[in-house]
PDB file of all heavy atoms in Angstrom:
ATOM      1  N   GLU A1247       0.832  -1.198   0.013  1.00 82.00           N
ATOM      2  CA  GLU A1247       0.003  -0.002  -0.017  1.00 82.00           C
ATOM      3  C   GLU A1247       0.860   1.238  -0.010  1.00 82.00           C
ATOM      4  O   GLU A1247       1.846   1.328   0.715  1.00 82.00           O
ATOM      5  CB  GLU A1247      -0.919  -0.020   1.206  1.00 82.00           C
ATOM      6  CG  GLU A1247      -1.919   1.139   1.188  1.00 82.00           C
ATOM      7  CD  GLU A1247      -3.119   0.830   2.097  1.00 82.00           C
ATOM      8  OE1 GLU A1247      -3.847  -0.133   1.783  1.00 82.00           O
ATOM      9  OE2 GLU A1247      -3.289   1.523   3.094  1.00 82.00           O
ATOM     10  N   GLU A1248       0.498   2.231  -0.808  1.00 85.00           N
ATOM     11  CA  GLU A1248       1.233   3.484  -0.889  1.00 85.00           C
ATOM     12  C   GLU A1248       1.195   4.200   0.474  1.00 85.00           C
ATOM     13  O   GLU A1248       0.192   4.189   1.166  1.00 85.00           O
ATOM     14  CB  GLU A1248       0.601   4.369  -1.968  1.00 85.00           C
ATOM     15  CG  GLU A1248       1.412   5.596  -2.294  1.00 85.00           C
ATOM     16  CD  GLU A1248       0.820   6.380  -3.445  1.00 85.00           C
ATOM     17  OE1 GLU A1248      -0.030   5.824  -4.175  1.00 85.00           O
ATOM     18  OE2 GLU A1248       1.177   7.561  -3.611  1.00 85.00           O
ATOM     19  N   GLY A1249       2.315   4.830   0.815  1.00 84.00           N
ATOM     20  CA  GLY A1249       2.390   5.578   2.048  1.00 84.00           C
ATOM     21  C   GLY A1249       2.811   4.776   3.271  1.00 84.00           C
ATOM     22  O   GLY A1249       2.790   5.292   4.388  1.00 84.00           O
ATOM     23  N   SER A1250       3.225   3.534   3.073  1.00 86.00           N
ATOM     24  CA  SER A1250       3.700   2.719   4.191  1.00 86.00           C
ATOM     25  C   SER A1250       5.226   2.712   4.202  1.00 86.00           C
ATOM     26  O   SER A1250       5.868   2.860   3.140  1.00 86.00           O
ATOM     27  CB  SER A1250       3.196   1.288   4.062  1.00 86.00           C
ATOM     28  OG  SER A1250       1.800   1.216   4.193  1.00 86.00           O
ATOM     29  N   PRO A1251       5.838   2.559   5.381  1.00 95.00           N
ATOM     30  CA  PRO A1251       5.180   2.391   6.691  1.00 95.00           C
ATOM     31  C   PRO A1251       4.912   3.684   7.382  1.00 95.00           C
ATOM     32  O   PRO A1251       5.501   4.697   7.038  1.00 95.00           O
ATOM     33  CB  PRO A1251       6.279   1.579   7.441  1.00 95.00           C
ATOM     34  CG  PRO A1251       7.567   2.131   6.930  1.00 95.00           C
ATOM     35  CD  PRO A1251       7.332   2.415   5.464  1.00 95.00           C
ATOM     36  N   VAL A1252       3.998   3.613   8.334  1.00 94.00           N
ATOM     37  CA  VAL A1252       3.695   4.810   9.157  1.00 94.00           C
ATOM     38  C   VAL A1252       4.062   4.470  10.601  1.00 94.00           C
ATOM     39  O   VAL A1252       4.283   3.324  10.953  1.00 94.00           O
ATOM     40  CB  VAL A1252       2.193   5.167   9.094  1.00 94.00           C
ATOM     41  CG1 VAL A1252       1.788   5.563   7.676  1.00 94.00           C
ATOM     42  CG2 VAL A1252       1.319   4.034   9.597  1.00 94.00           C
ATOM     43  N   HIS A1253       4.187   5.521  11.395  1.00 94.00           N
ATOM     44  CA  HIS A1253       4.519   5.299  12.834  1.00 94.00           C
ATOM     45  C   HIS A1253       3.515   4.327  13.454  1.00 94.00           C
ATOM     46  O   HIS A1253       2.313   4.432  13.269  1.00 94.00           O
ATOM     47  CB  HIS A1253       4.444   6.646  13.591  1.00 94.00           C
ATOM     48  CG  HIS A1253       5.458   7.635  13.134  1.00 94.00           C
ATOM     49  ND1 HIS A1253       5.208   8.989  13.075  1.00 94.00           N
ATOM     50  CD2 HIS A1253       6.719   7.484  12.699  1.00 94.00           C
ATOM     51  CE1 HIS A1253       6.295   9.620  12.641  1.00 94.00           C
ATOM     52  NE2 HIS A1253       7.228   8.722  12.377  1.00 94.00           N
ATOM     53  N   GLY A1254       4.058   3.323  14.166  1.00 95.00           N
ATOM     54  CA  GLY A1254       3.201   2.316  14.793  1.00 95.00           C
ATOM     55  C   GLY A1254       3.143   1.046  14.016  1.00 95.00           C
ATOM     56  O   GLY A1254       2.616   0.044  14.544  1.00 95.00           O
ATOM     57  N   ASP A1255       3.640   1.009  12.789  1.00 96.00           N
ATOM     58  CA  ASP A1255       3.617  -0.208  11.991  1.00 96.00           C
ATOM     59  C   ASP A1255       4.624  -1.237  12.521  1.00 96.00           C
ATOM     60  O   ASP A1255       5.735  -0.893  12.943  1.00 96.00           O
ATOM     61  CB  ASP A1255       3.900   0.089  10.528  1.00 96.00           C
ATOM     62  CG  ASP A1255       2.689   0.524   9.767  1.00 96.00           C
ATOM     63  OD1 ASP A1255       1.554   0.424  10.310  1.00 96.00           O
ATOM     64  OD2 ASP A1255       2.796   0.986   8.613  1.00 96.00           O
ATOM     65  N   VAL A1256       4.200  -2.496  12.447  1.00 97.00           N
ATOM     66  CA  VAL A1256       5.070  -3.621  12.813  1.00 97.00           C
ATOM     67  C   VAL A1256       5.149  -4.536  11.608  1.00 97.00           C
ATOM     68  O   VAL A1256       4.165  -5.096  11.166  1.00 97.00           O
ATOM     69  CB  VAL A1256       4.516  -4.386  14.035  1.00 97.00           C
ATOM     70  CG1 VAL A1256       5.374  -5.592  14.362  1.00 97.00           C
ATOM     71  CG2 VAL A1256       4.400  -3.463  15.245  1.00 97.00           C
ATOM     72  N   ILE A1257       6.356  -4.646  11.037  1.00 97.00           N
ATOM     73  CA  ILE A1257       6.563  -5.383   9.794  1.00 97.00           C
ATOM     74  C   ILE A1257       7.386  -6.620  10.082  1.00 97.00           C
ATOM     75  O   ILE A1257       8.498  -6.542  10.612  1.00 97.00           O
ATOM     76  CB  ILE A1257       7.245  -4.497   8.728  1.00 97.00           C
ATOM     77  CG1 ILE A1257       6.413  -3.265   8.443  1.00 97.00           C
ATOM     78  CG2 ILE A1257       7.468  -5.273   7.456  1.00 97.00           C
ATOM     79  CD1 ILE A1257       6.924  -2.005   9.121  1.00 97.00           C
ATOM     80  N   GLU A1258       6.865  -7.765   9.655  1.00 97.00           N
ATOM     81  CA  GLU A1258       7.571  -9.036   9.826  1.00 97.00           C
ATOM     82  C   GLU A1258       8.103  -9.473   8.498  1.00 97.00           C
ATOM     83  O   GLU A1258       7.368  -9.624   7.499  1.00 97.00           O
ATOM     84  CB  GLU A1258       6.674 -10.109  10.408  1.00 97.00           C
ATOM     85  CG  GLU A1258       7.386 -11.476  10.590  1.00 97.00           C
ATOM     86  CD  GLU A1258       6.453 -12.536  11.145  1.00 97.00           C
ATOM     87  OE1 GLU A1258       5.426 -12.195  11.794  1.00 97.00           O
ATOM     88  OE2 GLU A1258       6.746 -13.729  10.924  1.00 97.00           O
ATOM     89  N   PHE A1259       9.446  -9.734   8.402  1.00 97.00           N
ATOM     90  CA  PHE A1259      10.075 -10.368   7.251  1.00 97.00           C
ATOM     91  C   PHE A1259      10.149 -11.849   7.552  1.00 97.00           C
ATOM     92  O   PHE A1259      10.799 -12.253   8.507  1.00 97.00           O
ATOM     93  CB  PHE A1259      11.511  -9.861   7.058  1.00 97.00           C
ATOM     94  CG  PHE A1259      11.624  -8.460   6.446  1.00 97.00           C
ATOM     95  CD1 PHE A1259      10.520  -7.716   6.126  1.00 97.00           C
ATOM     96  CD2 PHE A1259      12.886  -7.930   6.229  1.00 97.00           C
ATOM     97  CE1 PHE A1259      10.631  -6.451   5.561  1.00 97.00           C
ATOM     98  CE2 PHE A1259      13.010  -6.663   5.666  1.00 97.00           C
ATOM     99  CZ  PHE A1259      11.894  -5.926   5.338  1.00 97.00           C
ATOM    100  N   HIS A1260       9.463 -12.653   6.737  1.00 95.00           N
ATOM    101  CA  HIS A1260       9.415 -14.087   7.007  1.00 95.00           C
ATOM    102  C   HIS A1260       9.923 -14.906   5.805  1.00 95.00           C
ATOM    103  O   HIS A1260       9.530 -14.594   4.653  1.00 95.00           O
ATOM    104  CB  HIS A1260       7.949 -14.509   7.321  1.00 95.00           C
ATOM    105  CG  HIS A1260       7.857 -15.959   7.697  1.00 95.00           C
ATOM    106  ND1 HIS A1260       8.086 -16.429   8.977  1.00 95.00           N
ATOM    107  CD2 HIS A1260       7.497 -17.053   6.973  1.00 95.00           C
ATOM    108  CE1 HIS A1260       7.927 -17.718   9.017  1.00 95.00           C
ATOM    109  NE2 HIS A1260       7.534 -18.155   7.797  1.00 95.00           N
ATOM    110  N   GLY A1261      10.739 -15.898   6.069  1.00 94.00           N
ATOM    111  CA  GLY A1261      11.194 -16.747   4.986  1.00 94.00           C
ATOM    112  C   GLY A1261      12.340 -17.609   5.424  1.00 94.00           C
ATOM    113  O   GLY A1261      12.927 -17.410   6.505  1.00 94.00           O
ATOM    114  N   PRO A1262      12.703 -18.579   4.590  1.00 93.00           N
ATOM    115  CA  PRO A1262      13.822 -19.443   4.913  1.00 93.00           C
ATOM    116  C   PRO A1262      15.144 -18.689   4.909  1.00 93.00           C
ATOM    117  O   PRO A1262      15.209 -17.535   4.399  1.00 93.00           O
ATOM    118  CB  PRO A1262      13.824 -20.503   3.795  1.00 93.00           C
ATOM    119  CG  PRO A1262      12.472 -20.363   3.118  1.00 93.00           C
ATOM    120  CD  PRO A1262      12.075 -18.947   3.336  1.00 93.00           C
ATOM    121  N   GLU A1263      16.188 -19.286   5.443  1.00 92.00           N
ATOM    122  CA  GLU A1263      17.505 -18.682   5.436  1.00 92.00           C
ATOM    123  C   GLU A1263      17.971 -18.555   3.985  1.00 92.00           C
ATOM    124  O   GLU A1263      17.682 -19.421   3.127  1.00 92.00           O
ATOM    125  CB  GLU A1263      18.502 -19.531   6.221  1.00 92.00           C
ATOM    126  CG  GLU A1263      19.838 -18.893   6.417  1.00 92.00           C
ATOM    127  CD  GLU A1263      20.710 -19.703   7.367  1.00 92.00           C
ATOM    128  OE1 GLU A1263      20.272 -20.723   7.911  1.00 92.00           O
ATOM    129  OE2 GLU A1263      21.882 -19.306   7.568  1.00 92.00           O
ATOM    130  N   GLY A1264      18.653 -17.456   3.644  1.00 92.00           N
ATOM    131  CA  GLY A1264      19.198 -17.284   2.315  1.00 92.00           C
ATOM    132  C   GLY A1264      18.217 -16.765   1.301  1.00 92.00           C
ATOM    133  O   GLY A1264      18.395 -16.970   0.097  1.00 92.00           O
ATOM    134  N   THR A1265      17.184 -16.035   1.784  1.00 94.00           N
ATOM    135  CA  THR A1265      16.181 -15.499   0.841  1.00 94.00           C
ATOM    136  C   THR A1265      16.230 -13.979   0.771  1.00 94.00           C
ATOM    137  O   THR A1265      15.320 -13.362   0.242  1.00 94.00           O
ATOM    138  CB  THR A1265      14.767 -15.968   1.239  1.00 94.00           C
ATOM    139  OG1 THR A1265      14.527 -15.693   2.605  1.00 94.00           O
ATOM    140  CG2 THR A1265      14.629 -17.459   0.958  1.00 94.00           C
ATOM    141  N   GLY A1266      17.271 -13.352   1.312  1.00 95.00           N
ATOM    142  CA  GLY A1266      17.483 -11.913   1.109  1.00 95.00           C
ATOM    143  C   GLY A1266      16.957 -11.044   2.236  1.00 95.00           C
ATOM    144  O   GLY A1266      16.946  -9.802   2.112  1.00 95.00           O
ATOM    145  N   LYS A1267      16.513 -11.606   3.376  1.00 96.00           N
ATOM    146  CA  LYS A1267      15.925 -10.783   4.451  1.00 96.00           C
ATOM    147  C   LYS A1267      16.946  -9.839   5.018  1.00 96.00           C
ATOM    148  O   LYS A1267      16.678  -8.650   5.187  1.00 96.00           O
ATOM    149  CB  LYS A1267      15.337 -11.719   5.545  1.00 96.00           C
ATOM    150  CG  LYS A1267      14.231 -12.615   5.093  1.00 96.00           C
ATOM    151  CD  LYS A1267      13.585 -13.358   6.280  1.00 96.00           C
ATOM    152  CE  LYS A1267      14.555 -14.243   7.042  1.00 96.00           C
ATOM    153  NZ  LYS A1267      15.100 -15.363   6.208  1.00 96.00           N
ATOM    154  N   THR A1268      18.136 -10.351   5.374  1.00 96.00           N
ATOM    155  CA  THR A1268      19.148  -9.490   6.002  1.00 96.00           C
ATOM    156  C   THR A1268      19.682  -8.450   4.988  1.00 96.00           C
ATOM    157  O   THR A1268      19.936  -7.315   5.378  1.00 96.00           O
ATOM    158  CB  THR A1268      20.323 -10.327   6.554  1.00 96.00           C
ATOM    159  OG1 THR A1268      19.792 -11.250   7.541  1.00 96.00           O
ATOM    160  CG2 THR A1268      21.371  -9.451   7.225  1.00 96.00           C
ATOM    161  N   GLU A1269      19.832  -8.857   3.741  1.00 97.00           N
ATOM    162  CA  GLU A1269      20.248  -7.857   2.697  1.00 97.00           C
ATOM    163  C   GLU A1269      19.223  -6.732   2.605  1.00 97.00           C
ATOM    164  O   GLU A1269      19.587  -5.556   2.399  1.00 97.00           O
ATOM    165  CB  GLU A1269      20.416  -8.544   1.360  1.00 97.00           C
ATOM    166  CG  GLU A1269      21.727  -9.286   1.185  1.00 97.00           C
ATOM    167  CD  GLU A1269      22.924  -8.382   1.057  1.00 97.00           C
ATOM    168  OE1 GLU A1269      22.762  -7.185   0.735  1.00 97.00           O
ATOM    169  OE2 GLU A1269      24.070  -8.865   1.273  1.00 97.00           O
ATOM    170  N   MET A1270      17.944  -7.055   2.706  1.00 98.00           N
ATOM    171  CA  MET A1270      16.905  -6.043   2.661  1.00 98.00           C
ATOM    172  C   MET A1270      17.054  -5.109   3.853  1.00 98.00           C
ATOM    173  O   MET A1270      16.827  -3.892   3.744  1.00 98.00           O
ATOM    174  CB  MET A1270      15.526  -6.682   2.616  1.00 98.00           C
ATOM    175  CG  MET A1270      14.385  -5.678   2.408  1.00 98.00           C
ATOM    176  SD  MET A1270      14.448  -4.825   0.824  1.00 98.00           S
ATOM    177  CE  MET A1270      13.996  -6.163  -0.288  1.00 98.00           C
ATOM    178  N   LEU A1271      17.428  -5.657   5.014  1.00 98.00           N
ATOM    179  CA  LEU A1271      17.625  -4.824   6.165  1.00 98.00           C
ATOM    180  C   LEU A1271      18.786  -3.835   5.973  1.00 98.00           C
ATOM    181  O   LEU A1271      18.698  -2.664   6.346  1.00 98.00           O
ATOM    182  CB  LEU A1271      17.891  -5.676   7.422  1.00 98.00           C
ATOM    183  CG  LEU A1271      16.691  -6.529   7.919  1.00 98.00           C
ATOM    184  CD1 LEU A1271      17.117  -7.330   9.139  1.00 98.00           C
ATOM    185  CD2 LEU A1271      15.486  -5.694   8.219  1.00 98.00           C
ATOM    186  N   TYR A1272      19.891  -4.315   5.375  1.00 98.00           N
ATOM    187  CA  TYR A1272      20.998  -3.402   5.036  1.00 98.00           C
ATOM    188  C   TYR A1272      20.514  -2.294   4.111  1.00 98.00           C
ATOM    189  O   TYR A1272      20.917  -1.135   4.260  1.00 98.00           O
ATOM    190  CB  TYR A1272      22.145  -4.133   4.388  1.00 98.00           C
ATOM    191  CG  TYR A1272      22.836  -5.213   5.265  1.00 98.00           C
ATOM    192  CD1 TYR A1272      23.310  -6.375   4.717  1.00 98.00           C
ATOM    193  CD2 TYR A1272      22.985  -5.003   6.628  1.00 98.00           C
ATOM    194  CE1 TYR A1272      23.944  -7.343   5.524  1.00 98.00           C
ATOM    195  CE2 TYR A1272      23.592  -5.943   7.441  1.00 98.00           C
ATOM    196  CZ  TYR A1272      24.058  -7.118   6.849  1.00 98.00           C
ATOM    197  OH  TYR A1272      24.654  -8.056   7.671  1.00 98.00           O
ATOM    198  N   HIS A1273      19.683  -2.644   3.161  1.00 98.00           N
ATOM    199  CA  HIS A1273      19.138  -1.669   2.225  1.00 98.00           C
ATOM    200  C   HIS A1273      18.333  -0.608   2.976  1.00 98.00           C
ATOM    201  O   HIS A1273      18.478   0.584   2.709  1.00 98.00           O
ATOM    202  CB  HIS A1273      18.234  -2.434   1.212  1.00 98.00           C
ATOM    203  CG  HIS A1273      17.442  -1.559   0.314  1.00 98.00           C
ATOM    204  ND1 HIS A1273      18.010  -0.792  -0.704  1.00 98.00           N
ATOM    205  CD2 HIS A1273      16.102  -1.328   0.232  1.00 98.00           C
ATOM    206  CE1 HIS A1273      17.059  -0.121  -1.357  1.00 98.00           C
ATOM    207  NE2 HIS A1273      15.903  -0.437  -0.810  1.00 98.00           N
TER     208      HIS A1273
END
């Protein structure tokens, strides 16, 4: 959705190891 995230949002990155979650965090 456009305009996300907003204050108060809780976002979960879910997936197996090696699917780019930590790289996305560096980004």
Side-chain angles (χ1 to χ4, degrees):
E1247 186 159 295
E1248 190 175 343
S1250 294
V1252 298
H1253 296 144
D1255 276 350
V1256 176
I1257 301 102
E1258 179 181 338
F1259 284 0
H1260 184 82
E1263 189 173 357
T1265 51
K1267 299 187 299 296
T1268 300
E1269 280 288 341
M1270 187 63 72
L1271 293 180
Y1272 296 145
H1273 172 68

